[in-house]
C-alpha cells in the first residue's frame, strides 16, 4: 500500500484514492499534542518533587517521651536524650585543654553513666567505666599530630553469661570547635549513645558480644583521642568492628557514608537493622575522594586498628556546623528518635552476629548499597554490580538495535539508511550532552568571575534557573533544532524522536560500561534509567505502540517515574549536604563548579529521557523558550539581594581569624621584627568582599609573597588545614600591640656536638597553652638527622611541622633536634625554629582592641577567632 514511495508511475484513480487515504491516516497518526498541554507535562514532574520527594526526605518519626516509656519498655526514648543534650549544651564550648572539656564534660558523662548503672539489671549485665588519659603521636597529612593527656571515657558493657572476647565499638566525641557548644557535632550522638546504653541496660534481653562505648575527648584536635584509644587502651585489641557517629550538620536523619573496607556483611547488618535507612555508595565515593573538607575517627580506627565498620553522620543543615549556632534548640526530637532507633537496632544485631567473632573471614570485597526513599536498602557485591550493569547496558543496546530494525521495516527503507540516520542523531544528541554540562559550568564561571559565587547558599531554589534549566536547554536544543528542520519523508518524526532516546540510551550504556570497569561503584546510577527505559522499549514493541505515532511516549514517561523520583530524592539530599559545605570550602577554588556539576548530573539522570518528549507537543520551539526565559529571570534575581549568600544566625559567612603577635629573633638574639595584626583565613570564595562595608580592611593583603620569604609564611599556622591553605591567607596589621594571655616559653637546655657522628644536638623545653606548633627549617647544607618526634616525618621535605596539644596533663614538652652539616661547623646559623601558641578557649580573655575590632563584623558573619603568638628563632 506504500508503492507510491518506491515507484514513480502514473497512479490509477482507484490507487490514487487509496494513497490519499493512507496519507491522511499517516498525518493523523503523526499529529502532535496541543502545545498548551506542555506546561501541564512539566508541572506534573514538579508536583512529584513537592508531594513525594521532599516530604519523604524530611519525614521524621514522632519522638517518644518519658510518658510513653511504660508502653515502650525496650524503645529508645528521645525526650530523655534531649534532656541530656540540654545539659550538654549548657556547658558551652568544649575545647581540648579547657576546664569545660577536661573536667566539666567528663564529669557530666560520668554522672550520666552512674545514673544508668543505678537502673541496670545487675543480675544480667555488668558495666565497667574507665577514664583513659593518653599521650601519643602519629602523622596526619603534613604534620606530626602529637597529644598529651587527652581523655576518653570508655564503657565496657556485657552480658554476665557471655564469654565472647570480640567487642563492638561505638564511638562519638564530646569535644567541640572553639566558640561552638557542639550540640550537633557531636553532642547529639553522645546522648544517643547514652540512651542506647540505658535501654540495653534496662531491658532483659541478653546478647552475645560485649560493647565498648567510647566517648572520646579530642576529635576536633584532630582525631587524637581515638588514636590514643585504638593504639593503647586495654580493650582496643578486642574490638572487631566499629560504628562511628559524627556530624557535619544538625538535624534530619543520619547518613551512612562510609563502610567496610571490603566487608559487605556490615551493610547486611545495616540493611536488616535500621528502620529508616539513609545510605549511599555515591556519598562514600565522594567522601573518600577527598572532595569534602572533613575527616572522622573512622579513618583512625580503620588505619591504626584495622577495624571494619560503619561511619554515620548527620549532614543536614551544615550551615550551623562548627559555629555558636550549633545548639540544642535546632535539633528536632524526631532526629534523636530516628537515629536512636537505628543505633539501638544495629547494636542489638551486631552483638548477636556470627561475623563479629572473626570479621576477617567475611572480608570478601566491596559492596554497592543505596537506600530507596529511606524504606529499605539495596545491597549487592561489586562483582554482582559489574555483572548487572553489563547485562542491563548490553541488553539496552540490543533492544535499540531491534527497534531500529523494526523502524526500517515499517518505513520501507534499508537498515543502512536507518543506521546512518541513527548515527546522525547520535552525534547531534552527543553535542547536546556536551552543552548540558558546558552551559551550567559556564554559568558558574561567569558568576564567579563577577564575584557573585554562592548565590544559592541561602536561596537554594536559584539553582533551578542557574543550573537545571541550562542543563535541560543544552541537552534538548540540538535535537529540537534537528527535528524542526528535518523532513518527514522516509522516516517519520515520531520514529526520529524515538531515535533521540535511543541515542541517549547508547551514551548511557557506554558510560555505564566504562565507569563500571573503572571500579566506580556509583555507576549503578546509569544502570537504573537504562533498566527502566529497556522495560518501556519491550512494552512498546510487544504492544506495537512504537508504530503508533507518539503513543510510545506514554510508557516511556510511566517507566521513568521511579528513576525520576529516586534521582531527585538522592540529589536533593546530596545538595542539602553539599551547599552548606561550600561555605567552608576555602577561597582557592570556585565552589559553584561543584554545585553546577552535581546539579547537572542529577538533572541528566532524572530528566534525560523526559525532556526530549517536549517534542511531542505542537510548537515545541515556543515551549522550549521557557528554559532560557527562566534562566534569564533567575540569573537577574541572583544578582540582587536575593542572591546575597548570607543571613544572620542561619546561613553565616565563616571567617577564621587569629589575633597575632609575631617576633623574629636573629642568631645573635636581636629582634628584627615585632608586630601585631590579624591573620584571616577566609572560608569561602567571596573572602573579604562581604565584610568590606562594615570592617576596615583597606590595608589587608595576601601573604603569598611572605610565604616565599619566610618559613611557613612567618605566621602561627594552626594545623594541617591552615598549613595547606596558608597561601590564601591575608594579613591586616594593627597599630596597638596585641595583649596576649601569656607567651610560650622555649628554653634551650643544651647544645652538644658529637664529633663521632659529626652532628650537633639541641635540647629544648617548651611550655605554653594547650595548643602549640613547632616548625623546623634546616638552613642550606644542613639536614635534620634525628629528633625526638616521629622519625618518618624527616623523610619528607622541610619545613617540618609538629602540632602539639594537651588536655589533662600540662607538663612542659622536652624534645631534641640533631643536625648534620657538610663542613661540621656548628658555631654558625644552622636552623630556623618557629613556635606558635594558640589560646583558642574562651577561658582566655581577649584584649580591648580585639573586642572593638570584632564588634565591627556584620551580623551575617561568624568569626572563629583566638589570640596567637609566633616566635621565630635562629640557632
Amino acid at each position: 500500500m506504500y508503492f507510491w514511495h518506491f515507484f514513480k508511475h502514473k497512479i490509477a484513480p482507484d490507487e490514487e484514492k487509496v494513497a490519499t487515504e493512507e496519507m491522511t491516516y499517516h498525518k493523523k497518526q503523526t499529529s502532535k499534542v496541543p502545545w498548551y498541554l506542555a506546561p501541564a507535562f512539566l508541572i506534573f514532574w514538579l508536583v512529584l518533587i513537592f508531594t513525594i520527594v521532599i516530604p519523604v526526605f524530611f519525614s521524621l518519626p514522632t519522638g517518644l517521651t518519658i510518658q510513653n516509656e511504660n508502653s515502650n519498655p525496650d524503645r529508645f526514648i528521645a525526650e530523655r536524650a534531649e534532656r541530656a543534650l540540654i545539659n550538654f549544651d549548657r556547658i558551652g564550648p568544649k575545647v581540648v585543654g579547657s576546664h569545660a572539656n577536661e573536667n566539666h564534660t567528663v564529669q557530666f558523662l560520668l554522672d550520666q553513666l552512674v545514673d544508668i548503672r543505678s537502673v541496670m539489671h545487675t543480675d544480667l549485665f555488668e558495666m565497667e567505666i574507665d577514664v583513659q588519659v593518653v599521650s601519643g603521636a602519629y602523622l596526619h597529612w603534613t604534620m606530626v599530630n602529637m597529644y598529651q593527656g587527652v581523655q576518653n571515657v570508655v564503657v565496657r558493657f556485657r552480658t554476665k553469661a557471655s564469654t565472647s572476647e570480640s567487642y563492638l565499638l561505638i564511638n562519638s566525641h564530646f569535644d567541640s570547635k572553639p566558640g561552638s557548644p557542639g550540640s550537633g557535632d557531636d553532642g547529639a550522638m553522645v546522648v544517643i549513645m547514652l540512651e542506647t546504653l540505658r535501654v540495653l541496660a534496662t531491658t532483659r534481653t541478653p546478647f552475645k558480644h560485649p560493647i565498648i562505648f567510647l566517648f572520646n575527648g579530642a576529635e576536633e584536635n584532630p582525631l587524637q583521642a581515638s588514636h590514643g584509644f585504638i593504639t593503647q587502651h586495654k580493650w582496643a585489641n578486642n574490638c572487631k568492628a566499629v560504628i562511628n557517629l559524627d556530624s557535619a550538620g544538625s538535624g534530619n536523619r543520619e547518613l551512612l557514608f562510609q563502610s567496610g573496607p571490603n566487608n559487605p556483611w556490615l551493610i547486611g547488618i545495616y540493611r536488616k537493622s535500621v528502620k529508616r535507612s539513609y545510605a549511599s555508595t555515591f556519598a562514600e565515593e565522594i567522601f573518600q575522594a577527598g572532595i569534602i573538607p572533613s575527616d572522622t575517627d573512622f579513618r583512625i580506627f580503620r588505619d591504626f586498628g584495622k577495624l571494619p565498620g560503619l561511619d554515620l553522620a548527620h549532614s543536614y543543615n551544615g550551615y550551623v556546623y562548627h559555629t555558636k549556632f550549633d545548639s540544642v534548640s535546632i535539633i528536632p526530637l524526631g532526629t534523636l528518635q530516628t537515629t536512636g532507633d537505628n543505633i539501638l537496632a544495629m547494636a542489638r544485631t551486631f552483638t548477636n552476629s556470627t561475623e563479629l567473632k572473626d570479621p576477617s573471614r567475611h572480608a570478601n570485597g566491596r559492596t554497592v548499597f543505596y537506600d530507596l526513599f529511606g524504606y529499605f536498602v539495596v545491597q549487592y557485591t561489586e562483582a554482582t554490580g559489574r555483572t548487572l550493569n553489563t547485562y542491563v547496558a548490553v541488553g539496552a543496546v540490543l533492544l535499540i538495535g531491534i527497534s531500529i530494525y523494526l523502524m526500517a521495516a515499517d518505513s520501507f527503507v534499508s537498515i543502512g539508511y536507518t543506521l546512518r540516520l541513527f548515527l546522525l542523531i547520535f552525534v547531534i544528541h552527543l553535542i547536546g550532552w556536551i552543552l548540558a554540562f558546558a552551559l551550567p559550568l559556564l554559568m558558574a564561571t561567569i558568576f564567579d568571575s563577577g564575584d557573585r559565587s554562592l548565590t544559592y547558599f541561602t536561596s537554594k531554589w536559584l539553582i533551578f534557573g542557574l543550573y537545571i534549566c541550562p542543563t535541560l536547554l543544552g541537552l534538548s536544543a540540538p535535537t529540537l533544532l534537528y527535528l524542526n528542520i528535518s523532513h518527514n519523508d522516509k522516516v517519520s518524526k515520531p520514529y526520529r524522536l524515538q531515535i533521540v532516546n535511543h541515542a541517549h540510551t547508547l551514551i548511557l550504556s557506554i558510560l555505564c560500561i566504562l565507569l563500571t570497569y573503572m571500579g566506580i561503584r556509583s555507576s549503578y546510577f546509569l544502570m537504573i534509567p537504562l533498566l527502566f527505559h529497556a522495560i518501556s522499549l519491550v512494552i512498546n514493541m510487544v504492544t506495537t505502540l512504537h508504530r503508533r505515532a507518539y503513543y510510545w511516549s506514554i510508557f516511556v514517561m510511566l517507566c521513568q517515574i521511579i528513576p525520576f523520583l529516586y534521582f531527585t530524592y538522592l540529589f536533593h539530599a546530596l545538595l542539602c549536604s553539599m551547599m552548606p559545605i561550600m561555605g567552608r570550602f576555602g577561597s582557592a577554588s570556585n565552589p559553584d563548579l561543584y554545585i553546577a556539576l552535581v546539579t547537572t548530573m542529577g538533572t541528566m539522570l532524572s530528566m534525560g529521557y523526559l525532556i526530549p518528549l517536549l517534542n511531542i507537543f505542537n510548537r515545541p520551539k515556543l515551549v522550549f523558550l521557557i528554559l532560557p526565559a527562566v534562566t534569564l529571570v533567575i540569573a537577574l534575581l541572583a544578582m540582587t539581594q536575593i542572591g546575597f549568600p548570607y543571613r544572620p544566625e542561619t546561613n553565616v559567612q565563616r571567617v577564621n581569624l587569629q589575633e597575632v603577635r609575631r617576633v623574629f629573633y636573629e642568631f645573635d638574639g636581636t629582634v628584627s621584627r615585632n608586630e601585631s595584626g590579624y591573620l584571616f583565613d577566609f572560608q569561602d570564595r567571596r573572602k573579604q568582599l562581604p565584610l568590606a562595608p562594615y570592617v576596615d580592611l583597606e590595608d589587608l593583603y595576601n601573604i603569598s609573597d611572605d610565604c616565599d620569604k619566610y618559613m611557613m609564611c612567618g605566621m602561627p599556622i594552626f594545623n594541617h588545614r591552615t598549613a595547606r591553605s596558608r597561601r590564601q591567607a591575608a594579613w591586616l596589621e594593627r597599630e596597638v600591640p596585641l595583649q596576649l594571655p601569656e607567651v610560650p616559653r622555649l628554653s634551650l637546655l643544651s647544645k652538644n656536638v658529637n664529633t663521632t657522628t659529626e652532628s650537633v644536638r639541641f635540647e629544648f623545653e617548651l611550655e605554653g597553652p594547650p595548643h602549640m606548633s613547632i616548625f623546623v627549617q634546616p638552613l642550606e647544607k644542613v639536614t635534620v638527622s634525628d629528633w625526638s618526634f616521629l622519625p618518618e616525618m624527616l623523610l619528607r621535605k622541610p619545613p617540618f611541622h609538629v602540632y602539639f596539644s594537651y588536655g589533662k596533663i600540662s607538663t612542659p614538652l622536652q624534645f631534641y633536634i640533631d643536625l648534620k652539616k657538610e663542613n661540621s661547623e656548628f658555631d654558625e646559623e644552622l636552623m630556623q625554629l618557629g613556635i606558635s601558641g594558640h589560646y583558642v578557649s574562651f577561658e582566655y580573655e581577649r584584649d580591648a582592641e580585639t573586642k572593638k575590632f570584632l564588634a565591627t563584623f556584620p551580623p551575617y558573619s561568624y568569626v572563629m577567632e583566638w589570640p596567637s603568638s609566633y616566635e621565630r628563632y635562629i640557632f
Side-chain angles (χ1 to χ4, degrees), residues 173 176-180 182 185 219-220 246-249 293-294 318-326 584 654 656 862 864:
H173 68 92
S176 73
K177 280 288 187 180
S180 175
D185 179 30
E219 189 267 354
E220 303 287 4
D246 211 328
S247 177
S294 294
Y319 298 106
V320 301
Y321 172 71
H322 285 179
T323 74
K324 66 181 179 182
F325 308 112
D326 182 14
R584 54 186 178 89
R654 299 166 183 265
N656 286 356
Y862 172 72
M864 187 165 71

Side-chain angles (χ1 to χ4, degrees), residues 257 391 514 662 716 759 836 851 857:
F257 64 98
Y391 281 170
L514 287 175
R662 57 178 182 166
S759 64
S836 66
K851 292 178 181 178
F857 281 78

